[in-house]
Amino acid sequence: METNLNFYPKYNSHQTYLFNKSIELQKSGLGYRRISKWFNENNLLNIKGKEFKPHHVSSVLKKGKIRYERNTRTFQPQIENLELEIK
Protein backbone atom coordinates (compact mmCIF):
# COMPACT_ATOMS: atom_id res chain seq x y z
CA MET A 1 0.00 0.00 0.00
CA GLU A 2 1.40 3.36 -1.03
CA THR A 3 0.28 6.80 -0.01
CA ASN A 4 0.59 10.14 -1.73
CA LEU A 5 1.00 12.84 0.91
CA ASN A 6 1.50 15.67 -1.55
CA PHE A 7 -0.87 18.54 -2.07
CA TYR A 8 0.27 20.92 -4.75
CA PRO A 9 -2.20 22.98 -6.75
CA LYS A 10 -2.71 21.66 -10.26
CA TYR A 11 -1.77 23.56 -13.38
CA ASN A 12 -4.61 25.27 -15.20
CA SER A 13 -5.25 24.24 -18.81
CA HIS A 14 -3.02 26.98 -20.29
CA GLN A 15 -0.08 26.06 -18.06
CA THR A 16 -0.52 22.38 -18.87
CA TYR A 17 -0.59 23.14 -22.59
CA LEU A 18 2.55 25.29 -22.40
CA PHE A 19 4.44 22.64 -20.45
CA ASN A 20 3.41 19.76 -22.73
CA LYS A 21 4.07 21.77 -25.91
CA SER A 22 7.48 22.89 -24.60
CA ILE A 23 8.47 19.28 -23.96
CA GLU A 24 7.19 18.24 -27.39
CA LEU A 25 9.13 21.01 -29.15
CA GLN A 26 12.26 20.31 -27.12
CA LYS A 27 12.14 16.61 -28.03
CA SER A 28 11.86 17.60 -31.70
CA GLY A 29 15.23 19.35 -31.34
CA LEU A 30 14.34 22.99 -30.68
CA GLY A 31 16.13 25.09 -28.09
CA TYR A 32 14.65 27.65 -25.71
CA ARG A 33 15.04 30.50 -28.20
CA ARG A 34 13.24 28.68 -31.00
CA ILE A 35 10.50 27.43 -28.67
CA SER A 36 9.86 30.98 -27.44
CA LYS A 37 9.77 32.15 -31.07
CA TRP A 38 7.27 29.38 -31.90
CA PHE A 39 5.02 30.46 -29.00
CA ASN A 40 5.18 34.11 -30.08
CA GLU A 41 4.43 33.25 -33.72
CA ASN A 42 1.36 31.31 -32.56
CA ASN A 43 0.19 34.21 -30.37
CA LEU A 44 0.62 32.33 -27.10
CA LEU A 45 1.39 34.43 -24.06
CA ASN A 46 3.19 33.45 -20.91
CA ILE A 47 1.33 33.13 -17.61
CA LYS A 48 1.61 36.87 -16.91
CA GLY A 49 0.16 37.75 -20.33
CA LYS A 50 3.42 38.87 -21.95
CA GLU A 51 5.34 37.57 -24.94
CA PHE A 52 7.63 34.61 -24.45
CA LYS A 53 11.36 34.94 -23.98
CA PRO A 54 13.84 32.04 -23.82
CA HIS A 55 14.13 32.21 -20.03
CA HIS A 56 10.34 31.81 -19.75
CA VAL A 57 10.56 28.52 -21.64
CA SER A 58 13.41 27.40 -19.41
CA SER A 59 11.34 28.20 -16.32
CA VAL A 60 8.24 26.43 -17.65
CA LEU A 61 10.24 23.27 -18.30
CA LYS A 62 12.20 23.36 -15.04
CA LYS A 63 9.24 24.07 -12.77
CA GLY A 64 6.97 21.69 -14.67
CA LYS A 65 9.40 18.81 -14.20
CA ILE A 66 9.76 19.61 -10.48
CA ARG A 67 5.98 19.74 -10.11
CA TYR A 68 5.55 16.43 -11.95
CA GLU A 69 8.14 14.72 -9.73
CA ARG A 70 6.52 16.07 -6.57
CA ASN A 71 3.01 15.08 -7.60
CA THR A 72 3.88 11.56 -8.67
CA ARG A 73 6.08 10.44 -5.79
CA THR A 74 4.65 8.02 -3.30
CA PHE A 75 5.72 6.93 0.13
CA GLN A 76 5.73 3.49 1.68
CA PRO A 77 4.06 3.60 5.10
CA GLN A 78 6.37 2.56 7.91
CA ILE A 79 5.27 1.55 11.37
CA GLU A 80 8.10 1.36 13.86
CA ASN A 81 8.50 0.86 17.59
CA LEU A 82 4.90 0.81 18.71
CA GLU A 83 4.61 0.77 22.44
CA LEU A 84 1.53 0.76 24.58
CA GLU A 85 1.81 2.00 28.09
CA ILE A 86 -1.09 1.42 30.45
CA LYS A 87 -1.31 3.50 33.63
Side-chain angles (χ1 to χ4, degrees):
M1 178 178 169
E2 295 181 344
T3 60
N4 186 345
L5 303 174
N6 304 312
F7 176 73
Y8 298 101
K10 298 200 180 221
Y11 272 167
N12 64 32
S13 60
H14 183 64
Q15 290 171 309
T16 302
Y17 175 76
L18 292 176
F19 176 66
N20 291 335
K21 194 63 176 176
S22 295
I23 287 187
E24 177 186 327
L25 292 171
Q26 189 178 43
K27 285 183 179 177
S28 72
L30 298 182
Y32 299 149
R33 197 174 306 159
R34 288 190 179 167
I35 294 172
S36 65
K37 186 177 179 183
W38 188 92
F39 283 146
N40 292 329
E41 288 172 352
N42 289 288
N43 297 321
L44 293 168
L45 301 175
N46 69 13
I47 302 306
K48 295 191 177 188
K50 307 209 180 217
E51 77 172 15
F52 263 91
K53 301 214 164 135
H55 67 272
H56 293 138
V57 175
S58 171
S59 180
V60 165
L61 288 168
K62 178 183 173 186
K63 292 178 182 177
K65 288 177 184 178
I66 290 170
R67 178 178 294 272
Y68 176 77
E69 289 170 3
R70 283 182 181 163
N71 285 335
T72 57
R73 67 182 173 186
T74 57
F75 301 92
Q76 293 292 332
Q78 295 179 348
I79 301 173
E80 296 178 358
N81 300 330
L82 289 178
E83 296 180 13
L84 181 62
E85 187 176 314
I86 301 175
K87 291 186 179 186

